[in-house]
């Protein structure tokens, strides 16, 4: 079995779920459209929004079960470090550039599947520009303290 972390897709948003080398048949969004997108050199699946609720976790696990390469993993909390999360955040301009290019490509193709992927890309960009920073600050807090931050906790900067 491959080490998914060693093959971790560079677009995965830091968190417990991530992908390594996945099949590129675009099945992930069928099960977890608010969490899975395609990108990189081979248009592999990656996690662009970490699941929070039991239903969202179930959806991501369904996407993982459909991947014949067994490329999904759930040990991100043991692998990500606060420094690695910060480095990913500081490299987000490259993520934005890549996803923006994908949206243009998919929108031009204008098939049902590519239009859905383009919508997912726009959702990812909105998340990057909005709530993701706060989510990653809370994630760094959890990595450093072993628990989610409480309302009165000060979360670290990225």
């Amino acid at each position: 079995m491959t080490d998914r972390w060693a093959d971790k897709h560079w677009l995965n948003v830091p968190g417990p779920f991530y992908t390594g080398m996945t099949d590129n048949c675009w099945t992930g969004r069928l099960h977890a459209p608010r969490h899975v997108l395609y990108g990189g050199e081979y248009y592999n699946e990656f996690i662009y929004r970490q699941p929070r609720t039991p239903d969202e976790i179930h959806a991501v696990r369904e996407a993982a079960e459909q991947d014949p390469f067994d490329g999904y993993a759930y040990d991100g909390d043991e692998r990500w470090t606060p420094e690695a999360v910060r480095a990913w955040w500081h490299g987000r301009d490259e993520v934005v550039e890549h996803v923006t290019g994908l949206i243009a490509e998919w929108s031009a193709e204008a098939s049902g599947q590519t239009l859905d992927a383009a919508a997912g890309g726009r959702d990812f960009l909105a998340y990057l520009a909005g709530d993701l920073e706060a989510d990653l600050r809370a994630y760094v807090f959890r990595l450093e303290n072993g628990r989610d931050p409480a309302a009165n906790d000060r979360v670290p900067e990225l």
Side-chain angles (χ1 to χ4, degrees):
M1 176 162 46
T2 58
D3 178 0
R4 290 176 202 93
W5 188 255
D7 295 330
K8 179 174 54 66
H9 198 297
W10 67 279
L11 291 166
N12 280 294
V13 166
F17 285 91
Y18 65 95
T19 63
M21 185 60 83
T22 64
D23 187 10
N24 57 4
C25 291
W26 288 28
T27 58
R29 288 188 56 76
L30 297 174
H31 305 283
R34 295 273 299 166
H35 305 280
V36 175
L37 198 54
Y38 320 110
E41 182 180 359
Y42 302 110
Y43 299 92
N44 298 87
E45 297 176 4
F46 67 91
I47 303 296
Y48 79 91
R49 183 190 317 268
Q50 292 291 326
R52 294 181 182 200
T53 68
D55 286 343
E56 291 175 348
I57 291 169
H58 177 75
V60 170
R61 287 190 171 165
E62 279 291 313
E65 287 176 13
Q66 300 306 311
D67 178 40
F69 289 4
D70 195 30
Y72 281 70
Y74 181 64
D75 63 347
D77 289 354
E78 299 164 21
R79 306 288 195 137
W80 284 103
T81 63
E83 296 77 23
V85 173
R86 288 182 177 103
W88 187 95
W89 178 251
H90 290 288
R92 70 190 178 280
D93 288 346
E94 186 177 355
V95 174
V96 169
E97 181 180 334
H98 183 75
V99 173
T100 300
L102 291 172
I103 292 167
E105 176 185 330
W106 293 332
S107 296
E109 290 180 25
S111 73
Q113 197 170 28
T114 60
L115 290 176
D116 173 68
R122 287 188 295 277
D123 185 45
F124 185 20
L125 291 180
Y127 183 46
L128 273 163
D131 294 338
L132 180 55
E133 181 178 8
D135 288 351
L136 290 179
R137 291 177 68 194
Y139 186 56
V140 168
F141 181 94
R142 189 169 94 212
L143 291 174
E144 292 176 338
N145 296 283
R147 65 177 176 82
D148 289 329
N152 61 341
D153 286 325
R154 176 178 239 170
V155 293
E157 294 295 323
L158 294 175

